[in-house]
């Protein structure tokens, strides 16, 4: 199990003590980033080990390693003197020294006082992880010489770098105490899954609001999120792991939904977001970590289907997978989007069941991946469809594949709607950030339908839905679908129903 280490990043000593108190209940240890503290206050930290009462790392970072030492004209000699005067007390558990600077005098004082040395390497330009894994593992082994704890913090610029980092962790399993982490959003899983990397601790920092100290390194999470959302301190080798993969991924609600259900059902397990630009590399990484299930989102749903060894009928027919399940040594593709789309529909239309959709008419705006799930769900329910899309060829292809009517996403399509439509389904990205003020079909009068169903859930009410509501038409946004498809995934992942 890995420990949680809070980086103390405040510019004042009072601020440092505040950070410690604010997060004390979530953390096991802390790192004093002395380079970030105002020079006039630096000697105050002599008190800190006694006040903190937890293991502390003493760190003074140089600019090359992402630090601020030297900002006020301090020299490296000044740094050595400060290190040595603080270490004399023997109260610091660890000191962080660069892997490529011997600093024999400082190291001798640390040894004499029983302070363990961390040898750290930081790569901010994102090229280190392009080296062969054997080279990276060799570096880590050399950094561990003499009983030091090696720490590698390397910028991950994509899924391939994250895979290299995961392989490096495997290749250095024999190095007892070490820290291996990937910086930036692509590397963030290494911070949550520190245990899978064999890291003795993970670093977390206070979230930086406007005018506050920023995270101590790119991609760091705050201790509260690590503990209350991801249950960091419960993660060990046998913890079931699940993830949502996509690009972008930062605003996905899936970790909140699934972690809430895991906790509510009393199950062990963590569900994390993974930004992925290369799904093949990402799946290899998930194999190394033993992930059991994945939610797949934009833009990977089609590629995910193609990479799977087995796939269910709905996924094959829709041509996209939003769920991957570990099966033996391969992945099984599933699609819960169509069923999730249908779930809230009868109720929202004031109908008793899906069967009552039979013979009704729906207009679909869009012909992308989301539209395909809706189209197949509605055809299975026996509805007749008109599919409109900006790129008319895509509307034609989907309509011909499914035996439905099609047209352009413009008022030229109005003749196709004569006789009225029962349901309008909006599947395009028009109405969501950054187009939240746009209406995909301003020429359409919503009064013609009994329900307007927009798959967007953020904003909660799109321009189209607001227009429908003021026309007195029933509306439904995408949050019910989001929850319903996630519920079905949860059952596939865990074998039990998601709690209410
Ligand atoms: P998803 O999986 O979310 O459906 P997608 O497969 O990329 O994503 O499909 C996006 C849909 O939104 C498409 O129907 C797209 O129309 P095109 O096929 O013409 O690209 C539609 N869309 C995106 N931006 C649009 C815009 N500004 N106006 C109209 N339609 C738009």
């Amino acid at each position: 199990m890995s420990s949680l280490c809070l980086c103390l990043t405040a510019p004042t000593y009072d601020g440092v003590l505040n950070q410690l108190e604010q997060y004390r209940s979530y953390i096991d240890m802390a790192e004093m980033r002395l380079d970030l503290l105002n020079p006039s206050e630096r000697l105050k930290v002599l008190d800190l080990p006694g006040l903190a009462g937890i293991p502390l790392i003493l760190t003074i970072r140089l600019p090359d390693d992402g630090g601020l030492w030297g900002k006020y004209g301090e020299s490296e000699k000044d740094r050595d003197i400060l290190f040595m005067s603080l270490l004399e007390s023997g109260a610091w558990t660890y000191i962080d020294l660069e892997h490529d600077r011997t600093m024999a005098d400082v190291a001798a004082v640390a040894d004499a006082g029983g302070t363990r040395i961390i040898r750290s390497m930081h790569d901010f330009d994102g090229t280190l992880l392009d080296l062969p894994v054997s080279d990276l593992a060799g570096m880590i082994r050399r950094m561990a010489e003499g009983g030091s704890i090696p720490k590698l913090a390397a910028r991950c610029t994509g899924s391939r770098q994250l895979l290299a980092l995961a392989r490096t962790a495997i290749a250095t399993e024999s190095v007892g105490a070490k820290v291996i982490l990937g910086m930036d959003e692509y590397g963030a899983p290494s911070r949550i899954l520190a245990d899978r990397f064999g890291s003795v601790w993970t670093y977390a920092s206070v979230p930086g609001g406007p005018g506050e100290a920023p995270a101590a390194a790119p991609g760091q999470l705050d201790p509260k999120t690590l503990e209350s959302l991801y249950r960091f301190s419960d993660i060990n080798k046998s913890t079931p792991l699940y993830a949502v993969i996509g690009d972008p991924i930062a605003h996905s609600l899936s970790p909140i939904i699934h972690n809430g259900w895991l906790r509510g059902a009393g199950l062990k397990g963590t569900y994390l977001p993974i930004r992925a630009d290369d799904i093949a590399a990402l799946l290899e990484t998930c194999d190394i970590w033993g992930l059991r299930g994945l939610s797949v989102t934009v833009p990977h749903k089609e590629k995910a289907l193609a990479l799977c060894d087995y796939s269910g009928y709905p996924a094959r027919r829709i041509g996209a997978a939003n769920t991957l399940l570990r099966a033996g040594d391969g992945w099984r593709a599933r699609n819960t989007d169509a069923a999730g789309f249908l779930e809230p529909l009868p109720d929202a239309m004031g109908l008793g069941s899906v069967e009552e959709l039979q013979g009704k008419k729906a207009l679909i705006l869009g012909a992308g991946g989301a539209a395909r799930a809706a189209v197949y769900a509605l055809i299975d329910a026996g509805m007749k469809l008109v599919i409109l899309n900006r790129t008319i060829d895509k509307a034609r292809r989907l309509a011909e594949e499914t035996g439905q009517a099609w047209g352009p996403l413009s008022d030229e399509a109005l003749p196709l709607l004569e006789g009225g439509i029962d349901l309008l389904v909006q599947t395009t990205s028009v109405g969501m950030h950054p187009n939240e003020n746009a209406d995909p079909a301003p020429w359409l009068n919503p009064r013609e339908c009994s329900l307007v169903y927009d798959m967007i859930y953020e904003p909660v009410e799109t321009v189209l839905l607001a227009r429908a509501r003021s026309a007195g038409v029933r509306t439904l946004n995408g949050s019910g679908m989001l929850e319903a498809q996630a519920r079905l995934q949860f059952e596939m992942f865990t074998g039990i129903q998601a709690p209410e």
Side-chain angles (χ1 to χ4, degrees):
M1 207 190 297
S2 308
S3 299
L4 205 166
C5 178
L6 173 66
C7 299
L8 299 168
T9 52
T12 64
Y13 190 52
D14 277 351
V16 163
L17 296 179
N18 276 341
Q19 290 185 336
L20 197 57
E21 285 321 308
Q22 193 186 347
Y23 289 105
R24 189 177 273 284
S25 60
Y26 302 106
I27 61 174
D28 305 295
M29 54 191 289
E31 176 188 50
M32 182 61 235
R33 281 287 304 273
L34 213 52
D35 54 296
L36 303 179
L37 194 61
N38 292 335
S40 60
E41 302 212 59
R42 284 179 181 150
L43 281 177
K44 289 190 180 174
V45 304
L46 275 165
D47 281 355
L48 191 61
L51 287 174
I54 51 175
L56 289 185
I57 305 172
L58 177 60
T59 301
I60 309 179
R61 282 238 188 289
L62 299 171
D64 282 355
D65 291 279
L68 289 187
W69 186 261
K71 185 180 167 194
Y72 299 96
E74 316 94 312
S75 67
E76 287 204 33
K77 180 102 185 113
D78 296 335
R79 189 171 81 129
D80 289 0
I81 293 168
L82 184 58
F83 263 142
M84 288 192 282
S85 45
L86 291 171
L87 285 172
E88 265 166 15
S89 68
W92 299 85
T93 314
Y94 306 101
I95 178 172
D96 186 310
L97 300 177
E98 295 77 18
H99 77 105
D100 52 356
R101 285 183 166 74
T102 317
M103 302 180 74
D105 295 347
V106 176
V109 180
D111 280 341
T115 299
R116 191 151 177 206
I117 297 171
I118 301 161
R119 286 290 178 181
S120 61
M121 177 191 277
H122 294 87
D123 161 56
F124 285 98
D125 58 12
T127 51
L128 192 72
L129 294 175
D130 295 332
L131 291 177
V133 168
S134 54
D135 289 7
L136 295 165
M139 282 177 203
I140 289 176
R141 280 193 215 98
R142 277 194 297 282
M143 284 153 65
E145 282 168 9
S148 298
I149 299 175
K151 173 193 166 189
L152 173 70
R155 173 159 273 158
C156 283
T157 53
S159 303
R160 296 230 135 257
Q161 282 78 15
L162 184 63
L163 175 59
L165 202 66
R167 286 182 173 151
T168 304
I170 302 285
T172 54
E173 262 170 349
S174 60
V175 177
K178 62 175 184 281
V179 177
I180 293 184
L181 54 91
M183 291 189 283
D184 273 347
E185 205 184 351
Y186 286 112
S190 67
R191 298 185 182 277
I192 301 170
L193 302 181
D195 189 76
R196 290 288 202 276
F197 281 77
S199 292
V200 276
W201 60 74
T202 198
Y203 292 90
S205 51
V206 177
E212 293 169 24
Q220 273 187 9
L221 293 159
D222 72 281
K224 187 162 181 239
T225 304
L226 273 171
E227 262 316 314
S228 49
L229 183 57
Y230 301 115
R231 290 191 281 177
F232 176 82
S233 57
D234 290 341
I235 301 177
N236 58 34
K237 302 276 171 284
S238 63
T239 305
L241 297 176
Y242 314 94
V244 54
I245 61 174
D247 198 359
I249 203 64
H251 297 105
S252 170
L253 292 176
S254 298
I256 295 172
I257 296 173
H258 281 272
N259 283 315
W261 283 335
L262 286 168
R263 196 185 279 265
L267 295 176
K268 286 191 176 24
T270 285
Y271 181 105
L272 66 150
I274 305 181
R275 183 173 178 197
D277 64 349
D278 177 338
I279 178 167
L282 201 271
L283 288 184
E284 267 190 78
T285 313
C286 291
D287 287 342
I288 293 174
W289 296 335
L291 261 81
R292 298 194 184 179
L294 297 171
S295 309
V296 185
T297 185
V298 177
H300 297 310
K301 290 183 183 183
E302 285 162 31
K303 188 87 188 282
L305 178 70
L307 287 173
C308 279
D309 311 280
Y310 317 91
S311 50
Y313 180 60
R316 278 204 306 281
R317 202 162 62 131
I318 295 166
N322 77 327
T323 310
L324 300 192
L325 305 171
R326 185 94 215 140
D329 56 0
W331 292 93
R332 208 176 275 270
R334 291 275 184 273
N335 194 308
T336 66
D337 280 338
F341 166 80
L342 215 48
E343 217 274 336
L345 186 57
D347 209 29
M349 285 180 82
L351 304 176
S353 69
V354 171
E355 282 67 46
E356 291 176 44
L357 292 171
Q358 182 80 34
K360 293 193 185 299
K361 196 165 165 188
L363 173 64
I364 314 293
L365 307 183
R372 293 183 69 85
V375 162
Y376 278 103
L378 295 176
I379 290 173
D380 286 350
M383 290 186 84
K384 301 248 168 307
L385 312 183
V386 177
I387 302 167
L388 307 183
N389 197 46
R390 177 180 63 178
T391 309
I392 192 156
D393 250 10
K394 259 166 80 181
R396 181 176 53 78
R397 261 182 277 137
L398 178 56
E400 285 178 357
E401 179 185 321
T402 53
Q404 306 299 319
W406 54 278
L409 185 57
S410 73
D411 58 2
E412 288 171 41
L414 283 170
L416 292 168
L417 311 182
E418 272 165 22
I421 44 172
D422 301 290
L423 169 68
L424 169 62
V425 180
Q426 195 311 101
T427 76
T428 77
S429 47
V430 182
M432 75 166 81
H433 180 78
N435 296 320
E436 49 278 76
N437 296 321
D439 187 329
W443 40 268
L444 190 70
N445 184 354
R447 211 171 305 207
E448 316 260 336
C449 4
S450 65
L451 176 75
V452 177
Y453 185 172
D454 196 325
M455 282 196 188
I456 294 171
Y457 57 85
E458 174 62 49
V460 174
E461 187 175 68
T462 57
V463 171
L464 175 67
L465 286 189
R467 204 153 60 80
R469 185 171 50 83
S470 13
V473 175
R474 293 170 193 254
T475 61
L476 179 64
N477 73 10
S479 59
M481 173 181 175
L482 174 76
E483 184 184 327
Q485 61 78 29
R487 269 185 189 283
L488 295 166
Q489 278 182 343
F490 187 85
E491 275 177 51
M492 291 175 179
F493 289 163
T494 65
I496 67 164
Q497 280 196 351
E500 281 308 318

